[in-house]
């Protein structure tokens, strides 16, 4: 019904959410057929990433009203922005357990997925400050080996770390 008047843009807000899996597959196939015959811009709102990957050309991933990622489907399928968030949460846990080298590695990997995420930068900054404080304390205590270990953790963040430049 939404396409009868041939609008330039169609909004589908959870349009397929209440369908059983078999019906959903059939409706998806029909939707793709209509798009092939009469292509138009469709904004599909869904919580089902598989559905989005099946029906869309490109995907915008939102969390709490903020854009985490906007990319072609293939990119989203390979490198989801949510992966960076998961890595940051793991880095936070590892920092709390004192496993700074492991935390630094998670932050480095999160930055490869999306270097501009606020959570990544904030956690990286906290990690750098922790490492810097530990290094300073180790030097003051005369534990040079420990200070070197701490600085190795800092090296895991990579050369282009904004937080490292601040220190």
């Amino acid at each position: 019904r939404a396409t009868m008047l041939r609008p330039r843009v169609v909004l589908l807000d959870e349009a397929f959410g209440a369908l059983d899996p078999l019906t959903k597959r059939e409706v998806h196939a029909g939707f793709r057929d209509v798009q092939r015959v009469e292509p138009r811009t469709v904004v599909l709102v869904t919580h089902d990433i598989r559905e989005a990957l099946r029906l869309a050309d490109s995907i915008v991933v939102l969390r709490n009203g903020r854009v985490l990622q906007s990319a072609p489907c293939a990119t989203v399928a390979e490198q989801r922005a949510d992966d960076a968030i998961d890595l940051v949460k793991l880095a936070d846990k590892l920092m709390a357990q004192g496993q700074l080298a492991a935390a630094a590695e998670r932050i480095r990997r999160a930055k490869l997925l999306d270097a501009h995420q606020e959570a990544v930068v904030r956690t990286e900054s906290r990690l750098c400050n922790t490492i810097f404080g530990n290094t300073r304390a180790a030097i003051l205590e005369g534990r040079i080996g420990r200070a070197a270990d701490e600085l190795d953790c800092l090296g895991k963040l990579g050369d282009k770390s904004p937080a490292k430049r601040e220190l």
Side-chain angles (χ1 to χ4, degrees):
R1 284 187 296 161
T3 60
M4 281 180 19
L5 298 176
R6 292 190 164 84
R8 291 189 347 224
V9 178
V10 176
L11 171 62
L12 299 176
D13 188 359
E14 295 286 350
F16 310 116
L19 301 176
D20 64 88
L22 183 60
T23 304
K24 188 181 282 194
R25 271 194 296 272
E26 291 172 8
V27 172
H28 284 174
F31 174 79
R32 285 192 304 269
D33 290 344
V34 169
Q35 279 296 92
R36 270 191 293 279
V37 174
E38 293 183 45
R40 70 191 83 238
T41 300
V42 176
V43 177
L44 172 65
V45 179
T46 182
H47 291 91
D48 184 347
I49 190 70
R50 290 182 308 255
E51 179 175 74
L53 290 169
R54 198 173 312 127
L55 299 176
D57 297 321
S58 62
I59 296 178
V60 177
V61 179
L62 299 171
R63 178 175 283 157
N64 298 327
R66 297 185 63 220
V67 174
L68 289 182
Q69 186 175 22
S70 178
C73 290
T75 302
V76 173
E78 291 171 16
Q79 297 179 328
R80 290 192 38 211
D82 290 3
D83 295 342
I85 297 297
D86 293 341
L87 287 166
V88 168
K89 287 178 183 176
L90 181 56
D92 278 334
K93 260 187 212 174
L94 291 167
M95 279 181 7
Q97 297 168 356
Q99 298 179 36
L100 302 184
E105 175 60 24
R106 292 337 180 271
I107 292 298
R108 185 192 64 75
R109 287 176 34 207
K111 286 177 9 185
L112 291 175
L113 294 177
D114 186 354
H116 303 294
Q117 283 193 19
E118 221 176 284
V120 174
V121 173
R122 197 172 45 249
T123 302
E124 179 186 32
S125 182
R126 274 198 355 265
L127 178 61
C128 285
N129 287 328
T130 301
I131 292 170
F132 182 69
N134 290 353
T135 303
R136 185 171 178 264
I139 290 170
L140 290 174
E141 294 168 4
R143 296 173 32 216
I144 303 305
R146 177 68 182 156
D149 290 344
E150 292 291 333
L151 290 175
D152 282 345
C153 293
L154 202 57
K156 290 184 185 303
L157 290 173
D159 295 334
K160 297 182 180 180
S161 166
K164 276 173 63 175
R165 284 195 296 269
E166 287 176 21
L167 295 176

